[in-house]
Amino acid sequence: MLQDLHSHTYYSFCGADRPESVVEAAISSGLSLIGICDHQYGIMYGSGSFFGLPADMDIQPDFDRPLRRYFDHINLIREKYSDRITVLRGVELCTLTGHGRHPLPDGVDVSYFDYALMETLDHPDSSCANGDLFTFAERCGCKLGVAHTDLFRFIRSRGEDPYTYFVKMRERGIFWEMNISHDSIHRYREHPYMLEFFSNEEQQDIVRRSGVEISIGFDGHRVVEYPGDRVVEYCRRAEALGLRFAFET
């Protein structure tokens, strides 16, 4: 399945392009599925100046309406291109506080999105209930993917068995993103966990046997640097390994 479930637009402070431009780049690359998943703080805060305020300031903005407006916009894009590609309405959720980061506030509803990507589960400062992925997934209420995370290292740090953990993820519909970014925004650095997975037959076998879903995501921020051939290459590699894709029909 040719997919990319990790794309940013101008809704993210770090993104530059209109959603239409991102979708058209995916179509030009031959993809059948593109997921738009802007950072929740970019959507909710709307401006960099407001976002830059200290996270501990007693400010109670209305986060629900910006998220709904964003969803409605991406839904219009989905309808516009429905005869050429499937567009999913996603959101990337921050779990860190400080250094300009603002995690998803309690009580903010994201259950109506097609999926959410949760970043930095394995970070020691994550707000994800002491690394409790499954409680976080229940709180989200929509399909959840784990991004930017070396899950094998994370699982073993918790003293748990990787196969058993991945089975639990499969049972709860949680997928693992293979982040294949390689562009100037990320300083052409590649994620070690992704490189390790595609070269480690033992890890591949555990994921395959568990039945957990994976996704391919470029984490794109600039259409001008979007390497569709790289996305297609890794989708083909995952297919050849017999892995299950998120949203595969």
Side-chain angles (χ1 to χ4, degrees):
M1 182 181 193
L2 302 183
Q3 64 161 237
D4 183 347
L5 294 190
H6 198 157
S7 294
H8 295 288
T9 74
Y10 56 34
Y11 278 100
S12 295
F13 297 142
C14 48
D17 302 291
R18 300 166 63 238
E20 290 92 338
S21 299
V22 173
V23 173
E24 288 167 6
I27 292 171
S28 297
S29 300
L31 304 189
S32 58
L33 179 66
I34 182 70
I36 306 295
C37 59
D38 282 293
H39 292 288
Q40 119 268 329
Y41 46 77
I43 301 166
M44 296 190 309
Y45 285 92
S47 72
S49 59
F50 188 84
F51 173 70
L53 295 175
D56 58 356
M57 286 191 68
D58 186 20
I59 298 174
Q60 301 296 326
D62 180 358
F63 290 134
D64 290 302
R65 281 190 292 181
L67 283 169
R68 289 281 180 180
R69 286 195 296 266
Y70 166 76
F71 177 89
D72 290 343
H73 185 187
I74 304 305
N75 193 53
L76 290 174
I77 303 300
R78 172 187 175 92
E79 294 173 358
K80 178 179 179 179
Y81 292 95
S82 61
D83 61 337
R84 301 171 66 189
I85 193 171
T86 298
V87 177
L88 295 183
R89 303 150 299 189
V91 60
E92 186 169 11
L93 305 178
C94 178
T95 66
L96 299 178
T97 300
H99 303 291
R101 300 185 179 100
H102 293 242
L104 182 71
D106 292 337
V108 175
D109 183 20
V110 295
S111 64
Y112 51 91
F113 283 91
D114 293 317
Y115 71 102
L117 285 182
M118 170 196 179
E119 57 183 4
T120 55
L121 170 65
D122 54 352
H123 195 285
D125 297 328
S126 172
S127 63
C128 175
N130 297 316
D132 186 349
L133 170 62
F134 305 109
T135 296
F136 190 88
E138 290 179 3
R139 176 259 182 272
C140 292
C142 61
K143 193 174 183 68
L144 184 68
V146 180
H148 305 299
T149 299
D150 183 340
L151 272 177
F152 277 94
R153 184 177 64 182
F154 170 75
I155 294 167
R156 292 191 172 108
S157 73
R158 295 174 61 85
E160 300 189 48
D161 172 65
Y163 174 77
T164 302
Y165 195 93
F166 281 119
V167 168
K168 289 169 63 178
M169 287 178 59
R170 182 203 71 205
E171 292 172 345
R172 291 160 177 80
I174 303 171
F175 63 94
W176 185 21
E177 182 200 65
M178 294 293 139
N179 188 303
I180 62 167
S181 61
H182 190 244
D183 57 9
S184 65
I185 297 299
H186 301 96
R187 300 180 182 178
Y188 297 100
R189 293 175 299 186
E190 297 179 281
H191 287 271
Y193 80 86
M194 181 276 295
L195 297 174
E196 169 68 11
F197 177 77
F198 277 104
S199 65
N200 189 316
E201 294 182 1
E202 179 183 2
Q203 289 189 5
Q204 296 163 10
D205 181 62
I206 290 172
V207 168
R208 185 168 45 242
R209 287 190 295 109
S210 73
V212 71
E213 296 172 334
I214 64 101
S215 70
I216 300 298
F218 183 72
D219 196 7
H221 293 76
R222 300 287 188 277
V223 163
V224 69
E225 291 189 316
Y226 189 69
D229 54 347
R230 180 177 174 86
V231 176
V232 170
E233 174 195 351
Y234 274 95
C235 286
R236 295 298 189 203
R237 290 178 67 175
E239 285 180 334
L241 293 172
L243 304 176
R244 296 178 61 195
F245 285 88
F247 298 101
E248 187 169 20
T249 56

